[in-house]
Amino acid sequence: MSNALLEVRALNAWYGESHVLHGVDLDIREGETVTLLGRNGAGKTTTLRAIMGILRRREGAIRLRGRDLLALPLHRVAQTGLGYVPEERGIFASLSVEENLALPPKVADGGMSIEEIYHLFPNLYERRHSQGTKLSGGEQQMLAIARILRTGASLILLDEPTEGLAPVIVQRIGDVLVALKERGMTILLVEQNFRFARKVADRFYLMEDGRMVNSFPGNELDSHMDELHSVLGV
Amino acid sequence: MKAFAALALVGLLAAPFVFYPVLLMSMLCFALFACAFNLLIGYVGLLSFGHATFFGGAAYFTAHAVKVWGWDPLAGLLLGVLGAAALGLLVGFLAIRRQGIYFAMITLALGQMFAFICLQVPFTHGEDGIQGVPRGHLLGLIDLNDPIAMYYVTLAVFLFGFFAVWRIVNSPFGNILKAIRENERRAISLGYRVDRYKLGAFVMSAALAGLAGGTKAIVFQFATLTDVQWQMSGEVILMTLLGGIGTLIGPVVGAAFVIALQNYLASSDFPVTVLIGIIFVVCVLLFRRGIAGEVMELLKRRQSKQV
Amino acid sequence: QQISDNVVKIGILNDQSGVYADFGGKSSVEAARMAVQDFGGKVLGAPIEIVNADHQNKPDVASSIARQWYDTDKVDAIMELTTSSVALAVQGLSKEKKKVNIVTGAATTDLTGKQCSPYGFHWAYDTHALAVGTGGALVQNGGNKWFFLTADYAFGYSLEDETSKVVKAKGGQILGSVRHPLSANDFSSFLLQAQSSGANVIGLANAGLDTSNAIKQASEFGITQGGTRLAALLFTLAEVHGLGLKAANGLTLTEGWYWDQSDENRTFAKRFMERTGRMPNMIHVGTYSAVLQYLKAIQKAGTDATEPVAKALHELPVEDVFAKKGKVLPNGRMVYDMYLFQVKKPEESKGEWDMYKQLATVPGDEAFLKVSESGCQLTQ
Amino acid sequence: MSTIFGIPAPALYGQILIGLINGSFYALLSLGLAVIFGLLRVINFAHGAQYMLGAFAAYGLLSYAGIDYWPSLVLAPLIVGAVAMAIERTMLSRLYGLDPLYGLLLTFGLALIFEGAFRYWFGTSGKPYSPPAQLTGAVNLGFMFLPIYRGWVVIASLVICLGTWLLIEKTRLGSYLRAATENATLVQAFGVNVPRLLTLTYGLGAALAALAGVLAAPIYQVSPLMGSNLIIIVFAVVVVGGMGSILGAIITGYVLGVLEGLTKVFYAEASSIVIFVVMAIVLLVRPAGLFGREA
Amino acid sequence: MVNDTPILTAEGITMEFRGFVAVNNVNLSVREGSIHALIGPNGAGKTTVFNMLTKFLTPTRGRIEFRGQDITTLKPAEVARLGLVRSFQISAVFPHLTVLDNVRVALQRPSQLATQFWRSSRVLSHLDDRALELIDAVNLSSYAHLPAVELPYGRKRALEIATTLALDPTMLLLDEPMAGMGHEDIGRISDLIRQISKGRTVLMVEHNLHVVSDLCDRVTVLARGEILADGSYDAVSADPRVREAYMGTEHE
Ligand SMILES: Nc1ncnc2c1ncn2[C@@H]1O[C@H](COP(=O)(O)OP(=O)(O)OP(=O)(O)O)[C@@H](O)[C@H]1O
Ligand SMILES: Nc1ncnc2c1ncn2[C@@H]1O[C@H](COP(=O)(O)OP(=O)(O)OP(=O)(O)O)[C@@H](O)[C@H]1O
Ligand SMILES: [Mg+2]
Ligand SMILES: [Mg+2]
């Protein structure tokens, strides 16, 4: 695929000695929302961590706008415009909600302002002076997403943002993603909840045992239901 | 494994005819001390920075009982162990309520206090120490003034202590200790009163450290302040780290190495502290598993390659 | 076969890397070698060898080295033995092994008192000599109201105790004392207490860095400028040099030897300086004298067997660069003259090591305890 | 003359003032220690050695290069800070993410090396260093003579403490640092050059220790042992204040300095132990320390 | 069989964190033998209630009774020994012990094999059968000898449930047992919960409303630290306030 924003080719990755990713290929075009589906342990999180460079032991090619990311240290990867929302959320206990929000440095223009963010997540506004980890699980997830919106990152890697969230909040997060998409944000989303994902995804990738087994556009989801059932075990 | 243990035992039995007995005895005492310390750090995950209290405290108790009260060495040792256990109960009771670095700091603070007390009370004789403790006759029978007899008694004490550590670690109790180290909250939620387990382990460790200290007092025939000062606590950490934290044999190797080094370097031109410092640094940077740990890892790797 | 193993081996066991490393340390080993050289390198035809070890201030390390020396390395005598716990431990061991030991590095009078040994000798200073030297002579010089800063351990107590006795005996007064913990670092608080007591002498019954810090801070707070005298009860040239005359001037102290006392001393000091880069203090020269005297004793006894050598050591007078008309008491105490010195002002000093003015001589018989007072059981 | 507990009031004021002065050193040293612990989770056992290095750097600059006190006040911390940064780069940085125990052990080893080497080269009796001419002499406060130099120490340390506190608590840099202690990888994943941040922090902590060393040189004997005597006490101060709490370290430093000073009057023997007693009590009652944030 | 006697009651429990009231005057009564769900939006205070019930937090006010016994002032371990055992929201396993050992640690306590430091740990092997049985029940058999760290997240949750069950508790408190699990596992764990609930009481926090509607006899809805509704799933889900505060409009 040409004019891809992010291009991943034949990516292999290891945790210590254990080989987890086996030749993953992935493309994301500018402005697209791509969802990575797969059951527990398929390697979705690992893919994101390998792209960011948090997982250092990897081979293959990762290019952002044609620029190779593999050799860059972690912080330089982030500075190229990648925003990462980790699975475990990573809220800082020693910082207040507001400090957590303000923490990530701007990597490009065009990020949201703190006011816009509070508008999007009124809960956070209410608790802006509390310690970050004193938030409930759902509040923390919102904070984790909100935090990255300020930085102007153009490609956001989101790892299971709906995990452990109440339906209303899931719905709200879905709305947020749609809004982000409208702003031209590119999103790589990892999900198990494909009902949620279908609302936002332009394209799906299916992952199993560290390999990409299929990819199809979002509107073809229904025709892939059987495959989905077998891969995800729904 | 069995073959290795048998070989080691034969080596230990034959050692005094090859090496200098007092040096060997010193190694055995410190090896036992390090094993006792390792029981806490290696299997409960508690870094005590005040273990000299039990080692040196027991040395004072034993020395006093044997010298001033004229007790049998065995009775003296027993008193040392009981005294150390009592100190362990006291210190442990206060310290185990905290974890990690705070635990280390509390034990350090209490250790400093104990060292202060040892300096103040008359029976320890200040910085002169209790000197000239008679070795006497064990149970009135074995003349401990004979270096070889003394060596075998020390060896027996050491083996007893070593076996005790091994047994504790590989017991149902030891199993729970490991679980507590791994995830304390979970252990609590399963209904374990973790404080009691920790305290139990602490007292056992203190008692064994006391056994080592008491034996040392009889071997060297004195008990002095150096044994209760925090530098001694630091030294036992060094020994354990060097040998391999959380391995059974590691502390023994580490202690033997450090004692040999201190002795050897004493008559060289190289400043002892600098070399010990360098070993510390190299160990932490390159051989974090310690000597024993690295060797075992090597063996394991080789084994898995062969398979 | 009059010399066991055909070699006379002397072990110098002291602190070479710790707190007392400057006190004696490696330089003492050099002094011992000088003694061997001056003796001619051989005794009764057998070569003389010096071995040395750093006991790191740990009695157990010292004890196992000493045992090893005696048992396997055929060492005949051990000397210096800095710090009392080590000296007592090794003296106990030497007694048991029937070997000669000569202490020059520790202060406790117990070595020739309660824990004396027929083969143990105490060569340089001891707490009593320091007390009599500094305490006695100062009172005669008008320093009659004392306040003590005492290190909170046995060595400190006995210094304070013995000095107090001397001061009182000479008609002086003790206005008070404060016991500070070891390595107290800051002494200004204690110095202030001393000053407000109205004392005209502050006795420093401590050692090493503690004494240095106390002196430095006394000068900072203008205590010495205000006319109060500082008396360091255990302080040697090495420490004064480390402190510098600016901080140390006016300080009174007792030492058993000073390089600028005579031509003989100056010659010795020059040789020592060439070998070690520093001037010797009483411990260095004491060790030199101990080695030399030990060799003389072997010569006299015609053997290096312990009993006859110890007997010869007790009998022979000591006459060398360290001690004039020195004699050894039955309890092992070597008796010789000590001196009271005052540290010069910077402007009085003519060189890096020109630091002392001699105030008085303390005759040996006054300086050291009589055998009957020592509490040594051997002699009864 | 009025007395308090049998001590004349003016004398007591003097003692409190002296306690405060000593507290300045505790505060400065524990400040650096707290900075390093708070941000690197390393218990810097080499802190005492770095303090000693600072004093020796000042002595060396004076006696080998003829550089006097005032420039040394800047140069010595820079030198020691640079050495520390090299240490962090080559050694400490490999230990992040491991049990904090390893950091403690490494720095313990480093302390042994530095102190051992300096003892070997310079002996133990130390080296002379005098206060600068501008700060010699004393002022009469009525209840005591205060050496001008000591007054300067209090002021200098207050200013430095305040400055450091502002830097860490009130700037963006500070929040990076605090966040990095919890999850360095994540902070780096946000685009912050964390490794460099940590290097600088360790350098800063060590430089603070060295600065304290320079300030101490005219008061305490410049000796290889000067740091090891102090470090354990300073640890206690940091623990009482709350590990990693900058403000806690500063305040506790002064308070314990005064407390120790008073103990010197009432029960001098215990004056070095009193801090440990306080520490044990505080840890039992308030485990996170007086100013620590609970985990 | 569900009967009417409450096994666990909380009266007016309140939790304040430095002035912030996380849970306010909550009354809760769980009937013996039931599966009771505690649901509510994020931050409602569900985990906090769990922490209070299992004594990991001490309520600022209020009183808790378990099987007629006042447990308000007990320690967490004591509560567990009474048979009230919990799981954690963030998975809690013993990471470097194998799956088998994880379960055995739990089995050890009731079998009085915990404090014996003088015996060989081989005596524990007679617990293996029971442990493997439990492991099998949560479909982890193929992982039995793997260290728990190496399990994927969802499997860790399953292991945690097996460990909890090993204590044979009278009552289980499960905090989001399905979080992070794949669909097939959710089905299996649901079955498992249903199966184990025979003769026990279960109180669970869960966001997956399918599971809740499927499994639970009774639902309590918590919002902003207070009880919003309480009753059967159908009744509760019909409540407009609950729909607004929690379920959202889309939900069936
Ligand atoms: N730190 C680690 N060390 C070793 N193996 C790991 C580690 N983290 C994950 N793995 C393994 O790597 C594989 C892929 O894990 P990954 O976390 O990427 O899965 P995932 O698709 O994100 O699953 P989930 O939906 O549970 O988050 C799994 O088999 C897992 O056991
Ligand atoms: N230790 C604490 N200190 C201060 N506030 C806390 C603490 N623990 C929880 N809170 C607050 O109490 C509220 C309830 O939190 P709790 O974790 O119980 O929510 P929850 O219902 O379990 O949410 P979720 O479903 O997201 O896990 C939250 O707003 C949280 O921020
Ligand atoms: Mg994942
Ligand atoms: Mg919760």
Side-chain angles (χ1 to χ4, degrees):
Chain A
M1 245 173 271
S2 61
N3 70 9
L5 174 68
L6 182 78
E7 243 181 305
V8 176
R9 288 288 172 274
L11 182 65
N12 283 279
W14 291 262
Y15 282 109
E17 294 297 309
S18 70
H19 194 167
V20 178
L21 294 188
H22 306 267
V24 167
D25 291 324
L26 180 80
D27 286 277
I28 304 174
R29 272 165 291 186
E30 188 100 41
E32 205 180 23
T33 298
V34 170
T35 299
L36 211 54
L37 294 170
R39 68 171 85 181
N40 295 119
K44 307 180 296 290
T45 300
T46 310
T47 306
L48 296 194
R49 290 168 61 91
I51 291 173
M52 273 314 285
I54 293 172
L55 187 62
R56 297 302 299 180
R57 181 138 189 240
R58 60 219 159 117
E59 279 168 14
I62 304 170
R63 283 186 288 270
L64 186 78
R65 298 193 178 90
R67 177 173 181 197
D68 188 20
L69 297 185
L70 215 57
L72 295 184
L74 180 52
H75 60 273
R76 308 273 299 124
V77 173
Q79 286 164 7
T80 59
L82 251 61
Y84 176 59
V85 180
E87 192 171 22
E88 69 283 354
R89 294 161 194 163
I91 304 303
F92 297 105
S94 58
L95 305 184
S96 68
V97 168
E98 194 147 293
E99 285 172 310
N100 262 290
L101 261 183
L103 183 81
K106 287 212 163 61
V107 293
D109 294 333
M112 291 189 188
S113 68
I114 298 255
E115 289 71 39
E116 283 176 281
I117 289 173
Y118 280 147
H119 187 70
L120 214 51
F121 301 102
N123 293 38
L124 295 184
Y125 180 72
E126 277 173 41
R127 306 224 51 200
R128 65 188 180 280
H129 297 303
S130 339
Q131 189 185 331
T133 46
K134 296 284 160 75
L135 296 184
S136 75
E139 290 164 334
Q140 290 191 19
Q141 183 66 61
M142 286 188 261
L143 178 56
I145 298 176
R147 188 164 62 174
I148 223 68
L149 301 179
R150 236 193 81 256
T151 65
S154 49
L155 170 56
I156 297 185
L157 312 183
L158 266 177
D159 199 349
E160 301 206 33
T162 62
E163 196 212 302
L165 297 196
V168 256
I169 309 286
V170 172
Q171 212 174 318
R172 169 110 46 82
I173 288 183
D175 297 343
V176 168
L177 292 192
V178 171
L180 293 180
K181 227 171 111 170
E182 277 161 13
R183 282 172 150 255
M185 200 83 89
T186 313
I187 298 170
L188 174 55
L189 175 70
V190 162
E191 260 302 344
Q192 295 208 26
N193 181 347
F194 68 86
R195 289 197 188 84
F196 165 78
R198 73 185 308 163
K199 277 192 296 194
V200 286
D202 296 316
R203 215 143 45 77
F204 287 97
Y205 276 93
L206 262 181
M207 222 181 161
E208 194 162 30
D209 293 333
R211 293 179 178 83
M212 288 299 175
V213 291
N214 201 0
S215 114
F216 47 83
N219 50 23
E220 288 175 23
L221 185 66
D222 292 329
S223 59
H224 286 85
M225 257 332 185
D226 289 343
E227 190 182 1
L228 224 57
H229 280 280
S230 82
V231 171
L232 296 181
V234 179
Chain B
M1 197 64 212
K2 283 225 173 82
F4 175 75
L7 206 70
L9 193 65
V10 170
L12 283 172
L13 287 172
F17 301 102
V18 185
F19 298 103
Y20 191 65
V22 172
L23 193 63
L24 291 173
M25 288 187 258
S26 163
M27 284 176 181
L28 287 174
C29 292
F30 279 99
L32 179 54
F33 183 24
C35 285
F37 173 77
N38 187 39
L39 178 61
L40 268 191
I41 176 111
Y43 300 96
V44 197
L46 293 174
L47 169 67
S48 160
F49 221 115
H51 247 49
T53 298
F54 315 120
F55 183 73
Y60 275 129
F61 299 145
T62 303
H64 188 77
V66 171
K67 182 179 178 185
V68 181
W69 297 336
W71 285 18
D72 184 274
L74 195 66
L77 264 185
L78 218 59
L79 181 78
V81 172
L82 288 178
L87 284 171
L89 195 66
L90 206 72
V91 173
F93 179 74
L94 295 171
I96 50 133
R97 305 164 177 210
R98 304 286 164 251
Q99 277 137 32
I101 217 64
Y102 295 103
F103 177 85
M105 287 297 153
I106 293 217
T107 46
L108 173 68
L110 296 174
Q112 288 290 94
M113 281 182 227
F114 185 72
F116 175 68
I117 292 169
C118 287
L119 188 70
Q120 296 291 331
V121 294
F123 94 95
T124 59
H125 297 278
E127 95 284 14
D128 289 353
I130 304 180
Q131 298 275 359
V133 177
R135 278 186 182 171
H137 289 64
L138 189 71
L139 298 172
L141 296 171
I142 308 164
D143 182 3
L144 295 182
N145 290 306
D146 172 19
I148 299 290
M150 185 72 232
Y151 173 79
Y152 285 120
V153 169
T154 312
L155 181 61
V157 169
F158 164 76
L159 288 176
F160 170 80
F162 185 77
F163 179 78
V165 171
W166 176 78
R167 174 38 81 230
I168 293 167
V169 168
N170 292 299
S171 69
F173 177 77
N175 224 29
I176 303 302
L177 289 183
K178 274 176 232 163
I180 291 172
R181 181 186 56 179
E182 293 272 303
N183 190 338
E184 188 165 337
R185 268 163 68 90
R186 184 58 178 153
I188 295 174
S189 80
L190 293 179
Y192 288 108
R193 299 170 177 124
V194 298
D195 281 359
R196 297 195 192 175
Y197 287 84
K198 288 193 198 166
L199 186 59
F202 195 91
V203 172
M204 289 177 205
S205 171
L208 288 169
L211 184 62
T215 313
K216 191 193 148 194
I218 291 180
V219 168
F220 282 102
Q221 302 180 275
F222 54 72
T224 57
L225 277 178
T226 35
D227 292 346
V228 290
Q229 281 159 350
W230 71 267
Q231 285 88 347
M232 180 59 77
S233 302
E235 216 154 90
V236 76
I237 298 175
L238 167 70
M239 292 172 182
T240 313
L241 173 80
L242 188 62
I245 290 175
T247 62
L248 267 176
I249 194 77
V252 180
V253 177
F257 189 82
V258 170
I259 297 294
L261 203 71
Q262 275 179 354
N263 240 269
Y264 172 73
L265 281 183
S267 40
S268 86
D269 258 352
F270 201 84
V272 188
T273 32
V274 175
L275 193 77
I276 291 194
I278 291 173
I279 293 172
F280 237 108
V281 169
V282 170
C283 239
V284 172
L285 288 179
L286 302 177
F287 310 109
R288 228 159 284 141
R289 294 192 191 92
I291 299 171
E294 294 290 343
V295 170
M296 277 203 254
E297 188 67 19
L298 209 73
L299 291 178
K300 217 192 282 170
R301 227 176 281 160
R302 197 175 297 162
Q303 231 162 31
S304 63
K305 246 179 220 156
Q306 276 166 1
V307 171
Chain C
Q1 88 250 23
Q2 348 128 293
I3 298 289
S4 56
D5 324 296
N6 291 316
V7 57
V8 170
K9 264 201 198 177
I10 300 169
I12 306 294
L13 185 55
N14 61 5
D15 176 13
Q16 300 174 0
S17 56
V19 205
Y20 305 112
D22 274 5
F23 211 57
K26 280 266 178 234
S27 309
S28 283
V29 181
E30 214 44 57
R33 296 210 175 100
M34 285 168 71
V36 173
Q37 197 183 35
D38 292 354
F39 192 76
K42 278 186 188 265
V43 57
L44 301 176
I48 307 160
E49 207 182 301
I50 299 284
V51 292
N52 77 89
D54 176 6
H55 61 53
Q56 301 145 52
N57 288 323
K58 295 184 178 128
D60 51 333
V61 171
S63 169
S64 57
I65 290 170
R67 280 175 199 268
Q68 211 160 342
W69 274 358
Y70 286 148
D71 292 349
T72 57
D73 296 347
K74 311 295 176 215
V75 167
D76 298 288
I78 296 181
M79 309 200 179
E80 185 140 335
L81 299 169
T82 336
T83 109
S84 44
S85 57
V86 166
L88 291 168
V90 174
Q91 177 153 308
L93 180 74
S94 305
K95 186 171 167 186
E96 183 191 315
K97 301 265 176 198
K98 298 204 167 37
K99 297 278 184 182
V100 168
N101 69 285
I102 309 182
V103 178
T104 54
T108 174
T109 46
D110 272 3
L111 285 164
T112 51
K114 278 203 291 283
Q115 308 199 37
C116 63
S117 149
Y119 321 114
F121 299 87
H122 202 181
W123 217 251
Y125 65 101
D126 64 21
T127 44
H128 188 261
L130 297 171
V132 172
T134 312
L138 262 183
V139 178
Q140 276 161 353
N141 276 305
N144 55 357
K145 284 185 275 179
W146 283 63
F147 189 96
F148 287 100
L149 292 192
T150 305
D152 186 26
Y153 63 118
F155 162 75
Y157 307 157
S158 58
L159 267 186
E160 179 192 330
D161 237 38
E162 299 189 34
T163 312
S164 305
K165 272 188 224 148
V166 178
V167 169
K168 283 187 212 148
K170 301 257 173 182
Q173 253 184 302
I174 310 297
L175 298 180
S177 80
V178 55
R179 292 188 168 176
H180 69 80
L182 228 65
S183 312
N185 236 334
D186 196 83
F187 289 85
S188 40
S189 176
F190 305 126
L191 289 166
L192 238 56
Q193 292 178 43
Q195 198 179 25
S196 62
S197 74
N200 56 18
V201 178
I202 300 178
L204 303 173
N206 45 22
L209 208 54
D210 281 346
T211 317
S212 297
N213 273 327
I215 296 167
K216 193 163 178 172
Q217 286 155 23
S219 117
E220 190 198 353
F221 276 81
I223 286 173
T224 29
Q225 290 90 320
T228 311
R229 300 177 85 159
L230 278 190
L233 293 167
L234 175 54
F235 214 56
T236 72
L237 195 68
E239 286 86 34
V240 176
H241 183 251
L243 200 51
L245 296 185
K246 214 165 171 179
N249 77 77
L251 177 75
T252 327
L253 56 87
T254 298
E255 227 191 308
W257 197 84
Y258 179 53
W259 66 273
D260 208 13
Q261 281 174 307
S262 69
D263 282 340
E264 190 188 3
N265 287 12
R266 278 185 285 271
T267 322
F268 180 85
K270 195 159 161 272
R271 281 174 63 210
F272 187 87
M273 181 90 180
E274 276 158 14
R275 286 165 169 251
T276 61
R278 50 160 65 220
M279 285 291 181
N281 63 12
M282 65 174 157
I283 288 102
H284 299 127
V285 194
T287 300
Y288 169 89
S289 165
V291 172
L292 198 63
Q293 191 74 4
Y294 176 68
L295 295 173
K296 286 180 188 165
I298 291 178
Q299 186 99 32
K300 178 175 182 222
T303 171
D304 69 348
T306 303
E307 300 275 357
V309 172
K311 185 159 170 282
L313 274 171
H314 278 111
E315 288 165 357
L316 274 177
V318 185
E319 191 65 43
D320 56 25
V321 64
F322 180 60
K324 305 283 172 245
K325 297 198 192 72
K327 59 179 186 228
V328 177
L329 301 182
N331 61 0
R333 177 66 250 178
M334 198 275 276
V335 171
Y336 73 114
D337 294 349
M338 303 279 286
Y339 309 93
L340 186 72
F341 297 106
Q342 182 163 34
V343 175
K344 290 183 173 174
K345 292 200 176 66
E347 56 272 21
E348 294 168 334
S349 168
K350 289 194 281 293
E352 190 190 353
W353 292 91
D354 179 19
M355 300 197 280
Y356 287 173
K357 274 187 299 216
Q358 187 170 327
L359 293 185
T361 301
V362 189
D365 290 329
E366 266 178 49
F368 296 98
L369 278 174
K370 296 192 176 48
V371 178
S372 54
E373 298 161 343
S374 71
C376 176
Q377 305 287 333
L378 286 174
T379 51
Q380 283 148 23
Chain D
M1 197 160 47
S2 66
T3 63
I4 301 170
F5 302 121
I7 310 274
L12 202 62
Y13 299 147
Q15 298 295 354
I16 291 175
L17 185 61
I18 285 175
L20 207 60
I21 296 168
N22 289 331
S24 316
F25 282 103
Y26 291 155
L28 261 184
L29 282 170
S30 52
L31 171 68
L33 210 56
V35 168
I36 293 174
F37 178 81
L39 309 173
L40 279 70
R41 295 287 134 174
V42 167
I43 299 162
N44 186 29
F45 231 103
H47 213 67
Q50 282 153 350
Y51 162 78
M52 178 270 287
L53 286 179
F56 264 96
Y59 163 77
L61 285 170
L62 182 66
S63 53
Y64 299 117
I67 296 171
D68 74 359
Y69 181 82
W70 298 107
S72 294
L73 215 45
V74 180
L75 286 177
L78 282 180
I79 295 168
V80 177
V83 172
M85 285 197 271
I87 288 171
E88 195 277 346
R89 250 351 6 225
T90 53
M91 302 182 202
L92 264 183
S93 58
R94 297 156 177 243
L95 302 179
Y96 297 147
L98 299 175
D99 194 308
L101 172 66
Y102 289 108
L104 182 146
L105 294 174
L106 177 85
T107 49
F108 185 55
L110 289 172
L112 290 181
I113 295 175
F114 281 125
E115 281 171 10
F118 271 67
R119 266 183 339 214
Y120 190 69
W121 289 325
F122 294 101
T124 47
S125 50
K127 297 290 170 194
Y129 198 88
S130 307
Q134 299 90 326
L135 298 179
T136 43
V139 286
N140 190 349
L141 297 180
F143 55 87
M144 71 177 275
F145 279 93
L146 176 68
I148 293 174
Y149 187 79
R150 297 234 174 189
W152 152 247
V153 166
V154 175
I155 292 165
S157 99
L158 273 174
V159 169
I160 295 160
C161 286
L162 195 71
T164 313
W165 179 72
L166 284 175
L167 176 73
I168 305 264
E169 294 292 327
K170 300 291 166 208
T171 67
R172 204 170 165 71
L173 179 73
S175 63
Y176 288 158
L177 288 170
R178 279 182 288 148
T181 55
E182 287 180 47
N183 189 341
T185 315
L186 188 57
V187 174
Q188 200 175 356
F190 288 153
V192 179
N193 189 347
V194 173
R196 195 176 58 201
L197 208 59
L198 296 180
T199 308
L200 286 173
T201 306
Y202 190 68
L204 172 71
L208 284 170
L211 187 63
V214 182
L215 285 174
I219 301 184
Y220 304 132
Q221 180 71 336
V222 178
S223 147
L225 306 171
M226 65 193 286
S228 58
N229 293 343
L230 212 57
I231 183 72
I232 294 283
I233 294 183
V234 175
F235 270 139
V237 172
V238 175
V239 172
V240 171
M243 290 288 233
S245 159
I246 311 282
L247 196 62
I250 298 169
I251 296 176
T252 315
Y254 286 106
V255 171
L256 288 186
V258 172
L259 194 66
E260 190 196 45
L262 292 179
T263 320
K264 280 178 177 166
V265 185
F266 296 109
Y267 182 24
E269 290 91 324
S271 59
S272 66
I273 219 72
V274 64
I275 290 181
F276 293 100
V277 176
V278 172
M279 166 165 136
I281 294 170
V282 166
L283 279 185
L284 292 172
V285 179
R286 258 193 77 94
L290 292 178
F291 297 83
R293 285 178 237 245
E294 274 165 65
Chain E
M1 207 45 245
V2 180
N3 62 31
D4 275 348
T5 35
I7 183 166
L8 180 81
T9 49
E11 285 167 28
I13 53 172
T14 298
M15 190 71 228
E16 286 178 25
F17 297 110
R18 293 201 193 148
F20 172 75
V21 185
V23 172
N24 189 13
N25 198 23
V26 161
N27 294 309
L28 189 69
S29 151
V30 181
R31 273 179 292 177
E32 190 162 356
S34 66
I35 303 183
H36 193 131
L38 188 60
I39 63 172
N42 299 108
K46 304 180 296 293
T47 301
T48 307
V49 167
F50 262 41
N51 280 337
M52 286 192 286
L53 294 180
T54 50
K55 311 311 308 153
F56 280 80
L57 285 175
T58 307
T60 322
R61 273 188 302 283
R63 183 185 144 85
I64 304 166
E65 229 175 67
F66 179 62
R67 297 167 93 187
Q69 184 183 347
D70 185 349
I71 60 166
T72 319
T73 55
L74 292 189
K75 296 221 178 76
E78 313 294 335
V79 174
R81 297 169 91 86
L82 291 175
L84 177 61
V85 180
R86 70 174 295 182
S87 71
F88 289 87
Q89 181 171 4
I90 312 288
S91 90
V93 293
F94 302 113
H96 295 100
L97 302 188
T98 63
V99 168
L100 179 64
D101 282 341
N102 261 277
V103 178
R104 275 207 318 207
V105 165
L107 285 173
Q108 243 178 295
R109 185 178 58 75
S111 66
Q112 308 297 324
L113 275 176
T115 49
Q116 305 185 342
F117 60 86
W118 59 91
R119 289 179 74 178
S120 164
S121 48
R122 272 194 297 267
V123 299
L124 297 176
S125 59
H126 77 259
L127 302 175
D128 286 1
D129 290 344
R130 175 73 186 125
L132 289 170
E133 213 174 283
L134 287 160
I135 290 169
D136 193 46
V138 293
N139 204 25
L140 285 176
S141 295
S142 55
Y143 296 93
H145 297 283
L146 230 56
V149 256
E150 291 178 19
L151 298 186
Y153 185 64
R155 304 279 178 192
K156 282 187 196 151
R157 303 304 317 245
L159 170 58
E160 206 187 325
I161 291 175
T163 313
T164 310
L165 282 179
L167 294 176
D168 197 12
T170 329
M171 178 169 178
L172 284 93
L173 275 66
L174 305 174
D175 199 352
E176 302 200 27
M178 314 293 184
M181 281 193 192
H183 298 262
E184 55 182 334
D185 290 324
I186 291 186
R188 179 167 321 105
I189 301 293
S190 291
D191 290 343
L192 182 69
I193 292 176
R194 196 184 337 252
Q195 186 193 326
I196 58 169
S197 71
K198 298 204 173 71
R200 293 178 226 277
T201 315
V202 175
L203 175 64
M204 61 194 278
V205 169
E206 186 51 64
H207 284 304
N208 189 323
L209 292 181
H210 296 286
V211 174
V212 173
S213 69
D214 239 30
L215 275 180
C216 301
D217 308 306
R218 200 178 171 84
V219 178
T220 300
V221 185
L222 212 58
R224 296 180 170 271
E226 293 179 38
I227 291 187
L228 191 65
D230 190 20
S232 70
Y233 179 78
D234 293 334
V236 164
S237 60
D239 188 325
R241 286 176 310 158
V242 174
R243 297 194 76 90
E244 194 211 314
Y246 180 56
M247 295 183 175
T249 43
E250 280 180 28
H251 236 277
E252 42 263 285

